[in-house]
Each structure stands twice: as C-alpha cells, then as structure tokens.
Amino acid sequence: KIYPNPVVHHSFQIEDSNDARYSVQVYDAFGRVVYSNPHYDNLQEINTGDWNTGIYFVHITKNGFPASYVITKKMLIIRP
C-alpha cells in the first residue's frame, strides 16, 4: 500500500503486512533514480520535500524471489 497518492505534503508511506524484505526505487518521469533503499521492511516513510511537482514511479521488488515479483506504481506529487 502506497499512500497518500497524490502526495500534497512532504512525504508518502509504503506499508506492507508481510514479513518479507523489499527493495524500493523511485524514478522521476525522465527515468532518473530519486530514491533507493535496498532493505525496506514493513513500513517506510519517504521524504519528498526536495522533489519537484510531477509524476514519479515507485518500483518495489521482493528480495530473494524471482524478478517476476515486481510492483510499479505511478505517484503524483503536487505542491500547493
């Protein structure tokens, strides 16, 4: 679960009820990595305060499993 989406303030959270380990990368619309964490567990808050308004892609991979277990979600950041 990724929330809030769209992001209006300065952070969003990734939450998962499984006890698995994940890696998380966030890419901007140009494909540049703006955030990377290879060791994510159940709940993580990601600060977006320095990011520009726009579309981002959150790429989550379950560690230790085949590459077919990948989730990519589109996220929008809006600055008031």
Side-chain angles (χ1 to χ4, degrees), residues 34-56:
V34 295
Y35 177 85
S36 181
N37 184 348
H39 304 293
Y40 153 72
D41 292 316
N42 302 330
L43 178 63
Q44 180 172 6
E45 184 168 344
I46 298 174
N47 186 331
T48 62
D50 295 336
W51 301 3
N52 293 324
T53 296
I55 296 172
Y56 292 82

Side-chain angles (χ1 to χ4, degrees), residues 7-12 26 28 32-35 46-54 56 75 77-80:
V7 177
V8 178
H9 298 289
H10 296 289
S11 67
F12 69 94
V26 180
D28 66 12
R32 295 178 294 216
V33 176
V34 295
Y35 177 85
I46 298 174
N47 186 331
T48 62
D50 295 336
W51 301 3
N52 293 324
T53 296
Y56 292 82
M75 182 182 62
I77 295 182
I78 302 171
R79 299 287 179 230

Side-chain angles (χ1 to χ4, degrees), residues 15-26:
E15 182 178 351
D16 186 80
S17 60
N18 297 326
D19 288 331
R21 295 185 65 85
Y22 299 86
S23 62
V24 177
Q25 290 82 35
V26 180

Side-chain angles (χ1 to χ4, degrees), residues 1-2 5 25-27 55-60 70-76:
K1 180 176 171 181
I2 299 173
N5 191 5
Q25 290 82 35
V26 180
Y27 299 88
I55 296 172
Y56 292 82
F57 298 91
V58 181
H59 185 82
I60 302 170
V70 173
I71 299 170
T72 302
K73 297 267 188 176
K74 183 167 67 171
M75 182 182 62
L76 180 62

